[in-house]
Amino acid sequence: MDTPDRAAAAAAASARAEDSPLFSFIDSLSPIEPLKSAYSAGSIQAYQSLNITSISSIFTSPHDNAQKESKLSKSSFAEFSESEVCANENKKNKPSKSSNAVRLFACTSALTQATHKVTSSVSEGTVAPTEGSNDLPQPGQFDTGSPDHNTTPCHGVRSDLKQGKCRKLQAFQTAKTNTSEKRKCLFSTEVQLLDGCQPEKLNDEILGCEWDDLISATSGELIAYDEDHKGVQLAVSNAESCGFLLSKLTGDGDISDRTHPSSSTQTYYRELLMEEDQPENAQLIPDGEKIISSEEIQDNLYEANGSIPTGYKVEIQQQRGMRRRCLVFEATGSSNRIVQKESVMDLSVSTCKGKNPVQNHSNPGKTPSPRVLRGIGLHLNALALTPKDKMVRQDSIASSLVPSSATQQELHGKLLSAGENFVHPGSELLELQMDDDCSAGVFLGNDHNSSQSNSPQKKRRKADNGDDGEACKRCSCKKSKCLKLYCECFAAGVYCSEPCSCQGCLNKPIHEEIVLSTRKQIEFRNPLAFAPKVIRMSDAGQDTGEDPNNTPASARHKRGCNCKKSSCLKKYCECYQGGVGCSSNCRCEGCKNTFGKRDAAVSTEAEEMKQGGEEAENCGKEEENDLQKANVQSEDHPFLELVPITPPFDVSSSLLKPPNFSSAKPPRPTKARTGNSSRSSSKAPQAVHSRKFSKIADTGLNEEMPDILRDDASPGNCVKTSSPNGKRVSPPHNALSVSPSRKGGRKLILKSIPSFPSLIGDTSSGSATNNSESTFNTTSPLALGPS
DNA sequence: GAGTTTGAAACT
DNA sequence: CAGTTTCAAACTC
């Protein structure tokens, strides 16, 4: 009897309790919302399950999560966004913990703030993210999760797109619900910021521009950055979840997104905006709100919306703009901001295009660069290897990363957790990412990778050849998980990236801790494990062996090779590979090393060893390696003198100068054998440069160079070299990289790079507690170095 | 592209 | 520390 009454009462009570207000609100909303909420909830769950990172991040910030879930489940994102956005604008600062949605909005707020600030410095962008938007970092992590850096970019894009979709959905729902107020709130922020002038335009333009930027950024810097930071995971997961939902709702395909994200996408979008946008705009907005059209175009690309009413589209676009802004902001604050300004001014898509190029330049074809950057993160060596462009990017990135240590730590924690999660095979996302990462992003990579070569071997060979590859070789590890010296990437202190064909790769930003810990172990076992095997000054002819004169051979193999059958005439021989002559350290049999036979080397080495030892002591352990190398070089000197070094001076000098490398050790000690063994040893790297220069000088090109070199060689160098980063590595690389001939040097240099030192230093100084930091630092230093 | 060779790295 | 195994690059076909 009572039961029915109770049941009814309970039902009523529950209904009331749940949300008299909320419930009514929901009712007011179109039926779709329930779906939406359902999706959101479902998506969240699924997404959590799927995306480890996101989960981790969520967990990291329980508050946020709780908020998110509650908010999401309860109300549409619109509400949430409203409150958040408004609050953000007012407060501007929000805890990094904010939920995904919060983050997204926070991003928008940050963007708006950025617009106010006008300054486009990347640092700001980075800072903002730390406060309110961790979005950037997260995606990166995710991406990192994906073995292939390439994939990461894709992920980033996806996330963005997805987020955009999500927002669209939200907007769409909101529109249906007629929650104009909410919209206003969301947009109001933008409008206020922008001047309230045709927010749509702004959004559109911004979006368009940002989109381009995003794309570029995603392909390049952003993604890398994100990965490095590791914060983004949540955002990504959210984005994906949203995207998933959206895809279901709209039935659109992510494919478009994926396809376009590639470098070409920017242009593609631009074109689309130019052409397609207008017509759509005309429909949507009679006035020349072409900007909107651009968004639509994007929408079309992403979603192929036809389902969404124009009105809705407009709103959606705005929201997208929000996201995009975030992304853009993150990616490149300056460009974005500029774009915004322009857009505010009056901008047409064209303007956006014009500006985008800047970012585009960085990104465009260089999906690989991001990878490099990531790799760099780990080691200075990577930086050294990386081209100048990369260097710069890194710097910017680094700066961005630097901003909030706290956030980094958090990120770290997230990463760690994420990494663990990642390992878990549970989520599809993970698998995909993993695949991408390890296997060269077959999946995502298609777009990004397509441009680049796909076959790892080819890549590797290319790298070997020296063209691009110098910077990084690509491994194809199968069993080592890229956590052993077998892995060239790992040995070089670089994260595995697209070109790698490795399997089960753990040498990724996501697994940064693992990588670092493994490294430490290896270093503990063998302090010189990551030290440059060979100090290479000039690679010139090594492989080619074309010009004996060019043989760089300045450096010698530290450990020495143990060749028996190769007679030190093949790449099997590290000495030969490094383009250096065999030294007394070598235990090779039948040495025929064209760069210098062991017998000859032995005597000199002994001397140099002594000298080197002294210098090493002076300069530091790290330098020891260099010293040895220097010693080796001394032996080589004859060659050097004989052979003019081709590498252009300017280039080398410029390379050397780069901030990161400033102190970098010059890989090759120029020291003349005669001379100052001690000096040479300390400065080996510089010596190398000096050598080349000296050679050049000898040739008559520069007289000054020698002096400079000498100066470099001077103790001052030692001090510099002592610098944790072991810049020495980078400089040489630069020089080397510049010179086409030098192939072998690359790897060697990388290895030699003291990046490890930094790590070691970190570890030593930072102990376990700082592991995350240390890792970060290590990474950051590379990037940070410039800062 | 698959298989072999080679020597370093890792392991015992 | 030496010997053995494992591994991935280098090389060959």
Side-chain angles (χ1 to χ4, degrees):
Chain A
M1 297 298 287
D2 293 350
T3 55
D5 293 345
R6 286 183 181 179
S14 64
R16 292 176 184 174
E18 288 178 355
D19 49 1
S20 56
L22 176 67
F23 183 78
S24 62
F25 175 78
I26 292 168
D27 291 347
S28 66
L29 296 176
S30 64
I32 293 167
E33 285 190 350
L35 294 176
K36 175 184 179 181
S37 63
Y39 282 107
S40 64
S43 65
I44 294 167
Q45 292 174 347
Y47 140 130
Q48 288 176 345
S49 64
L50 292 176
N51 292 347
I52 295 165
T53 56
S54 64
I55 296 167
S56 64
S57 63
I58 293 166
F59 288 105
T60 54
S61 62
H63 297 288
D64 295 348
N65 293 343
Q67 291 176 348
K68 274 177 93 179
E69 291 177 353
S70 63
K71 290 179 180 178
L72 293 174
S73 63
K74 289 178 180 178
S75 63
S76 64
F77 290 90
E79 290 178 353
F80 174 65
S81 65
E82 286 180 351
S83 63
E84 291 297 334
V85 170
C86 295
N88 288 345
E89 287 179 352
N90 294 340
K91 293 178 181 178
K92 290 183 177 180
N93 293 342
K94 282 210 159 182
S96 61
K97 292 177 179 178
S98 61
S99 63
N100 295 342
V102 172
R103 288 181 181 176
L104 293 174
F105 293 101
C107 291
T108 57
S109 65
L111 292 175
T112 57
Q113 292 175 350
T115 57
H116 291 293
K117 289 179 181 178
V118 172
T119 60
S120 63
S121 65
V122 174
S123 63
E124 289 180 354
T126 57
V127 172
T130 57
E131 291 175 353
S133 65
N134 291 341
D135 296 351
L136 293 177
Q138 292 173 343
Q141 290 177 347
F142 232 26
D143 292 350
T144 55
S146 65
D148 293 353
H149 297 293
N150 295 343
T151 58
T152 48
C154 294
H155 288 291
V157 172
R158 291 179 181 176
S159 64
D160 294 348
L161 295 174
K162 289 179 180 179
Q163 290 175 350
K165 291 179 180 177
C166 293
R167 289 182 179 178
K168 289 180 179 179
L169 291 175
Q170 293 174 350
F172 179 77
Q173 292 175 347
T174 56
K176 289 181 178 177
T177 57
N178 295 335
T179 58
S180 61
E181 291 178 355
K182 291 178 181 179
R183 296 177 188 173
K184 290 178 181 178
C185 292
L186 294 174
F187 295 104
S188 65
T189 60
E190 291 177 352
V191 172
Q192 290 174 349
L193 293 176
L194 294 178
D195 292 355
C197 296
Q198 294 176 344
E200 291 177 355
K201 288 181 179 179
L202 292 176
N203 291 342
D204 291 348
E205 289 178 352
I206 292 166
L207 291 175
C209 295
E210 289 179 352
W211 175 254
D212 292 347
D213 293 347
L214 289 176
I215 294 167
S216 63
T218 55
S219 64
E221 294 172 353
L222 284 177
I223 293 166
Y225 172 83
D226 291 350
E227 289 180 354
D228 292 347
H229 291 288
K230 305 174 179 177
V232 179
Q233 295 174 342
L234 292 175
V236 171
S237 63
N238 290 340
E240 289 181 354
S241 63
C242 293
F244 179 77
L245 293 174
L246 292 172
S247 64
K248 288 181 177 178
L249 293 174
T250 58
D252 63 349
D254 292 349
I255 296 167
S256 63
D257 293 350
R258 290 178 183 174
T259 58
H260 297 292
S262 63
S263 61
S264 64
T265 56
Q266 292 176 343
T267 56
Y268 178 79
Y269 282 103
R270 291 177 184 173
E271 292 177 355
L272 292 174
L273 293 173
M274 295 298 292
E275 296 177 356
E276 293 177 352
D277 290 353
Q278 292 176 348
E280 289 179 355
N281 290 340
Q283 293 175 348
L284 295 176
I285 299 168
D287 292 351
E289 291 180 353
K290 294 176 181 178
I291 296 165
I292 292 168
S293 65
S294 64
E295 289 179 352
E296 289 179 352
I297 292 167
Q298 292 175 346
D299 292 348
N300 291 340
L301 292 176
Y302 299 150
E303 295 178 350
N305 309 337
S307 62
I308 297 169
T310 57
Y312 294 105
K313 288 180 180 178
V314 172
E315 290 177 352
I316 290 166
Q317 289 175 346
Q318 290 175 346
Q319 290 177 348
R320 288 182 183 176
M322 301 287 287
R323 289 182 183 175
R324 290 176 184 175
R325 289 177 184 175
C326 293
L327 292 175
V328 172
F329 176 78
E330 292 174 352
T332 58
S334 63
S335 63
N336 293 339
R337 291 174 185 175
I338 293 167
V339 171
Q340 291 175 348
K341 291 179 182 178
E342 291 179 354
S343 62
V344 171
M345 295 299 286
D346 85 288
L347 309 174
S348 60
V349 174
S350 64
T351 56
C352 293
K353 290 179 179 178
K355 290 181 178 180
N356 289 345
V358 173
Q359 291 175 343
N360 289 346
H361 291 294
S362 64
N363 295 343
K366 305 179 175 177
T367 51
S369 64
R371 301 171 187 171
V372 172
L373 293 176
R374 294 174 183 174
I376 292 166
L378 289 178
H379 302 287
L380 293 178
N381 292 342
L383 291 175
L385 294 177
T386 59
K388 292 178 182 177
D389 295 348
K390 292 177 181 177
M391 298 284 299
V392 173
R393 293 176 184 176
Q394 290 173 349
D395 293 349
S396 63
I397 293 168
S399 63
S400 65
L401 292 175
V402 175
S404 64
S405 63
T407 54
Q408 290 178 347
Q409 290 176 348
E410 290 178 353
L411 293 175
H412 242 326
K414 291 178 180 178
L415 290 174
L416 292 176
S417 63
E420 292 174 356
N421 292 342
F422 238 99
V423 174
H424 301 296
S427 65
E428 293 175 354
L429 292 175
L430 291 175
E431 290 177 354
L432 293 175
Q433 291 175 345
M434 292 300 288
D435 292 348
D436 292 348
D437 292 349
C438 294
S439 59
V442 173
F443 196 27
L444 297 178
N446 292 345
D447 296 351
H448 298 288
N449 291 346
S450 62
S451 63
Q452 295 176 343
S453 66
N454 294 340
S455 67
Q457 291 177 346
K458 289 180 180 178
K459 292 177 182 178
R460 182 176 42 127
R461 288 182 183 178
K462 287 181 180 178
D464 291 351
N465 290 343
D467 294 347
D468 292 352
E470 287 183 351
C472 356
K473 264 189 175 182
R474 298 310 175 193
C475 67
S476 61
C477 303
K478 294 178 180 178
K479 294 181 179 179
S480 66
K481 295 179 181 178
C482 297
L483 291 178
K484 292 186 178 181
L485 292 175
Y486 293 126
C487 176
E488 290 186 357
C489 295
F490 180 81
V494 178
Y495 289 117
C496 291
S497 61
E498 299 174 355
C500 295
S501 61
C502 48
Q503 297 177 355
C505 178
L506 295 179
N507 184 25
K508 297 177 182 178
I510 292 171
H511 304 291
E512 186 176 5
E513 289 183 354
I514 295 171
V515 172
L516 292 175
S517 63
T518 302
R519 231 188 218 183
K520 290 178 183 177
Q521 292 177 353
I522 293 171
E523 285 181 344
F524 179 81
R525 207 187 295 154
N526 178 12
L528 297 178
F530 292 95
K533 291 178 180 177
V534 176
I535 297 171
R536 128 119 18 197
M537 296 310 293
S538 56
D539 358 3
Q542 311 173 294
D543 292 351
T544 57
E546 300 167 356
D547 295 347
N549 292 340
N550 291 342
T551 47
S554 59
R556 301 263 182 206
H557 195 268
K558 284 184 177 181
R559 288 186 183 174
C561 64
N562 190 26
C563 302
K564 293 179 180 178
K565 294 181 180 179
S566 66
S567 298
C568 300
L569 291 175
K570 293 185 179 180
K571 280 193 170 182
Y572 294 124
C573 176
E574 290 185 356
C575 296
Y576 180 85
Q577 187 176 26
V580 300
C582 290
S583 66
S584 61
N585 291 336
C586 296
R587 300 173 297 283
C588 51
E589 295 178 357
C591 178
K592 294 179 182 178
N593 189 335
T594 57
F595 296 102
K597 293 181 180 178
R598 167 178 151 204
D599 294 347
V602 172
S603 63
T604 52
E605 276 186 357
E607 292 176 354
E608 290 177 352
M609 292 296 289
K610 292 177 182 177
Q611 294 174 347
E614 291 175 354
E615 291 177 352
E617 291 175 354
N618 294 340
C619 294
K621 292 177 180 179
E622 293 177 352
E623 293 176 355
E624 289 178 354
N625 295 339
D626 293 348
L627 294 175
Q628 292 175 349
K629 293 177 180 178
N631 293 339
V632 172
Q633 291 176 343
S634 65
E635 294 176 355
D636 294 348
H637 274 291
F639 290 100
L640 294 176
E641 291 175 354
L642 293 176
V643 177
I645 296 164
T646 54
F649 246 123
D650 295 349
V651 172
S652 64
S653 64
S654 65
L655 292 176
L656 293 175
K657 289 178 181 178
N660 291 346
F661 304 94
S662 59
S663 58
K665 311 176 167 181
R668 314 241 160 139
T670 49
K671 336 199 128 160
R673 355 166 164 173
T674 60
N676 344 331
S677 59
S678 65
R679 279 184 282 157
S680 63
S681 65
S682 64
K683 300 182 176 176
Q686 291 176 342
V688 172
H689 294 292
S690 63
R691 279 189 180 177
K692 291 179 180 178
F693 296 113
S694 65
K695 290 179 181 177
I696 294 167
D698 292 350
T699 56
L701 295 177
N702 289 346
E703 292 176 356
E704 292 176 354
M705 292 305 292
D707 293 349
I708 294 168
L709 294 176
R710 289 176 185 175
D711 293 350
D712 292 349
S714 66
N717 291 343
C718 293
V719 174
K720 289 178 181 179
T721 55
S722 65
S723 68
N725 290 348
K727 297 170 181 179
R728 54 178 157 174
V729 173
S730 62
H733 285 295
N734 293 342
L736 294 177
S737 64
V738 171
S739 67
S741 64
R742 60 157 56 184
K743 295 175 182 177
R746 314 158 194 164
K747 287 183 179 178
L748 295 177
I749 293 166
L750 292 176
K751 291 178 181 178
S752 65
I753 292 167
S755 58
F756 296 93
S758 64
L759 293 176
I760 294 167
D762 293 350
T763 58
S764 64
S765 66
S767 77
T769 56
N770 292 344
N771 288 347
S772 63
E773 290 180 354
S774 66
T775 56
F776 229 143
N777 291 344
T778 56
T779 57
S780 65
L782 298 180
L784 294 179
S787 63

